[in-house]
Amino acid sequence: MKDAGVSRLVDVRLNNVSQLAGFAKRDDLKFFTQSLCAIPYVHTPELAPTQEMLDGYKKQKGSWSEYEGRFLELMRARAIETSTPRELMDGCCLLCSEDKPHQCHRRLVAEYLNERWGDVEIEHLG
């Protein structure tokens, strides 16, 4: 993240302190990003899907296309393009639980904001 010029880590997970988060729990991330990279950590659950959506997709093995459609509608209903400060997203790295972006809501957030704002540069860090 430091080499990529990231200005802050924006955690878009709904559950950032659960047992499943492992080393990526909120307090650990705050410590690591600040200590190792001098990058602040921010949790933004308003950019996360609902628990119902997550359960339908993960636990009940729902389809990606259904999940994606429901999450896009949620972002529209939440009007994240007006409720999310642009300065929060400027130079940020979005974090969620998926390792690849193709079936990940952080990609959907970035693409949605780019469609609304028109100037979001999206780079997937490996």
Side-chain angles (χ1 to χ4, degrees):
M1 287 188 307
K2 191 174 185 176
D3 290 344
V6 171
S7 61
R8 84 187 44 75
L9 180 63
V10 176
D11 188 344
V12 296
R13 296 174 298 170
L14 183 61
N15 304 307
N16 69 343
V17 293
S18 75
Q19 180 178 345
L20 297 175
F23 74 91
K25 291 182 181 176
R26 172 196 63 214
D27 294 341
D28 293 335
L29 284 173
K30 282 182 183 179
F31 173 78
F32 289 133
T33 58
Q34 190 59 50
S35 299
L36 299 175
C37 304
I39 297 170
Y41 165 88
V42 180
H43 183 224
T44 56
E46 61 274 8
L47 299 179
T50 65
Q51 190 64 54
E52 177 189 10
M53 285 179 192
L54 285 172
D55 289 348
Y57 179 59
K58 300 273 185 175
K59 292 181 181 177
Q60 297 158 7
K61 308 287 188 216
S63 74
W64 170 255
S65 61
E66 182 180 326
Y67 174 82
E68 182 177 22
R70 291 183 69 202
F71 186 64
L72 288 170
E73 181 53 42
L74 179 65
M75 288 189 291
R76 279 190 286 278
R78 288 178 176 170
I80 68 164
E81 67 273 15
T82 57
S83 64
T84 303
R86 283 176 169 252
E87 51 277 359
L88 174 72
M89 303 304 274
D90 188 32
C92 82
C93 177
L94 299 179
L95 169 76
C96 80
S97 300
E98 302 298 330
D99 62 339
K100 303 279 190 248
H102 66 281
Q103 289 187 330
C104 175
H105 83 275
R106 72 178 179 269
R107 175 184 59 83
L108 300 177
V109 169
E111 290 173 355
Y112 178 91
L113 290 175
N114 187 46
E115 287 175 13
R116 294 336 185 255
W117 293 345
D119 60 354
V120 175
E121 183 178 330
I122 301 170
E123 178 182 347
H124 299 289
L125 304 180

